[in-house]
Amino acid sequence: MILPGATLGILGGGQLGQMFVLAARRMGYPVWVLDPDPDCPAAAVADQHLCAAYDDPAALQALADHCAAVTAEFENVPASAMHYLEKRIPVRPGAEALAIAQDRAREKSFFQELGLETAPFAVLRQMEDVTTAVQHTTEPLPFPAILKTTRFGYDGKGQREVATASELAAAWKSLNTPEAILESRIQLQQEFSIILARAVDGLMVFYPAAENIHHQGVLDLSIVPARVPEALQTQARHSAARIATALDYVGVLAVEFFVSAKGQLLVNEMAPRPHNSGHYSIDACVSSQFDQQVRALCGLPLADTRLISPVVMMNLLGDLWEAGEPDWQQLLQHPQIKLHLYGKKAARPGRKMGHVNALSPEAERALSVLETLRQDWHWPR
């Protein structure tokens, strides 16, 4: 076990890195952050900010020299950096899990190899693939579909809607990517996520499922307890556990699921880290997903994930700042709302600037509070 007083490291200093640092420091661990952005949110709370590229040799060696273990804030850190650190100190989760998660084609294939259902998809690696992509194994790939870059796509970025096969060639050219996947658009009944933590000894704990509502490709609300049939939640937990076991995973893992209009459970994607839909756990659970990230990294026993109160998390996007600073007094008049601002200096449309957790005896009442707030702010849906 790595005990308090030892220094931990993290690659990535965004809001997830910031929340990891706060959890670690509360538990008595100094933290070093590697991030090329001098104004990254984690820099304000870290013990040491290495302002350098993620693959900078000197910065990586500094982490290896001063940290007892290292984790990553997000999956798109260079694989070479993680392999370099893995040879010197514990890195959790390992580079292999990150490599699978940062490539959509590899990730979808990995799910299917485990016997998990996904939306029908085809991989496009060259222009010639576009003409044959509508043939998915022995059956045509159903349209409408979504064309997605295999790398660096998040919050709706790197995607194109493709209504018919005739639109595919133009969509492929507009993405300007060496590889993409074409995925059938599923008629959705619900979306939800399962977040688990897995320890070095293989023990797993699960957080309550979060029902997720997106707007323009970005997560808007997470509702807990999820209004998803318990049988589907149980099936999803088994699927997430299968993924974590196959990867010999150590850390916090989020897996997103679709429920089709016919009630079929489909795996969408995984995030080898804490997840936006798990931010509710900071205020509404005995231990947050960031507490678990610290514990798993340090080889400590995992903590209680019990839900203390129903909760709805709402993201605060940069759109709210278009007319100036939001009216925080109006928000803070609601006693059941917990405000989390990330300290980002530039507010841009679609950029996650913070979130609020609304706690209430019933999730529907929490939803009502947030809808009132949205109306007061004249925030369009």
Side-chain angles (χ1 to χ4, degrees):
M1 292 185 190
I2 299 169
L3 298 176
T7 299
L8 306 179
I10 184 167
L11 277 71
Q15 64 266 22
L16 299 179
Q18 180 193 67
M19 287 181 261
F20 169 82
V21 173
L22 291 173
R25 294 194 65 182
R26 189 173 62 249
M27 295 170 66
Y29 295 93
V31 183
W32 284 34
V33 172
L34 173 57
D35 192 294
D37 181 2
D39 297 319
C40 67
V45 295
D47 293 88
Q48 180 73 34
H49 174 210
L50 301 173
C51 188
Y54 293 121
D55 56 359
D56 180 89
L60 291 172
Q61 188 58 51
L63 284 179
D65 290 342
H66 292 91
C67 298
V70 168
T71 190
E73 179 200 35
F74 66 119
E75 53 270 30
N76 288 318
V77 297
S80 59
M82 304 308 288
H83 285 302
Y84 180 92
L85 291 169
E86 269 187 332
K87 294 177 182 177
R88 291 160 176 81
I89 54 175
V91 174
R92 297 166 179 158
E96 181 65 13
L98 298 180
I100 292 173
Q102 62 187 220
D103 186 315
R104 281 192 173 109
R106 189 175 174 187
E107 181 184 64
K108 296 283 187 185
S109 298
F110 172 67
F111 293 154
Q112 290 191 337
E113 289 167 6
L114 293 178
L116 305 177
E117 294 289 332
T118 69
F121 72 95
V123 181
L124 282 63
R125 293 192 175 91
Q126 54 189 348
M127 192 61 187
E128 289 74 13
D129 291 336
V130 174
T131 59
T132 58
V134 293
Q135 295 298 320
H136 177 66
T137 60
T138 58
E139 298 180 3
L141 186 76
F143 282 84
I146 308 172
L147 187 66
K148 303 177 180 180
T149 58
T150 56
R151 291 177 175 269
F152 304 110
Y154 64 95
D155 288 345
K157 298 178 177 67
Q159 300 186 14
R160 297 289 186 275
E161 298 280 345
V162 185
T164 64
S166 62
E167 298 177 7
L168 182 54
W172 166 261
K173 289 180 181 179
S174 71
L175 272 184
N176 190 29
T177 181
E179 184 176 87
I181 64 168
L182 183 67
E183 182 178 302
S184 291
R185 176 175 281 284
I186 302 298
Q187 274 195 304
L188 293 181
Q189 186 180 118
Q190 288 173 307
E191 299 180 52
F192 70 101
S193 54
I194 295 291
I195 295 176
L196 65 83
R198 188 173 186 270
V200 175
D201 62 4
L203 177 68
M204 281 181 267
V205 295
F206 296 83
Y207 282 92
E211 178 185 353
N212 300 321
I213 298 174
H214 291 78
H215 178 62
Q216 295 181 347
V218 182
L219 181 64
D220 182 29
L221 300 172
S222 289
I223 303 165
V224 183
R227 300 168 299 184
V228 176
E230 186 56 43
L232 286 177
Q233 293 188 42
T234 299
Q235 184 183 347
R237 285 191 289 271
H238 286 308
S239 297
R242 191 181 306 175
I243 292 169
T245 301
L247 292 169
D248 195 19
Y249 194 87
V250 179
V252 174
L253 176 71
V255 185
E256 296 181 347
F257 294 90
F258 293 152
V259 181
S260 74
K262 297 180 180 179
Q264 182 185 16
L265 185 72
L266 303 172
V267 185
N268 179 32
E269 61 184 22
M270 68 177 184
R273 51 170 172 79
H275 193 257
N276 191 181
S277 67
H279 289 348
Y280 74 86
S281 65
I282 298 172
D283 298 311
C285 290
V286 174
S287 298
S288 77
Q289 60 175 344
F290 299 98
D291 296 329
Q292 301 286 24
Q293 187 181 21
V294 175
R295 285 174 169 270
L297 178 61
C298 294
L300 300 174
L302 299 177
D304 192 347
T305 59
R306 184 163 31 94
L307 187 69
I308 298 171
S309 167
V311 58
V312 179
M313 188 282 299
M314 180 173 74
N315 274 323
L316 304 179
L317 305 183
D319 312 63
L320 280 174
W321 276 255
E322 285 183 344
E325 193 75 14
D327 186 351
W328 302 121
Q329 181 177 348
Q330 195 174 47
L331 181 149
L332 294 169
Q333 287 177 348
H334 296 279
Q336 58 271 73
I337 282 183
K338 308 273 280 186
L339 173 63
H340 298 261
L341 293 176
Y342 305 149
K344 296 179 180 179
K345 294 187 176 181
R348 298 188 295 270
R351 191 183 194 195
K352 293 169 183 170
M353 301 295 293
H355 71 271
V356 295
N357 285 329
L359 283 71
S360 185
E362 295 90 29
E364 292 298 330
R365 286 171 59 181
L367 268 173
S368 178
V369 168
L370 293 179
E371 288 303 325
T372 299
L373 175 64
R374 201 190 298 272
Q375 292 169 13
D376 290 343
W377 273 352
H378 306 290
W379 189 4
R381 288 292 300 272

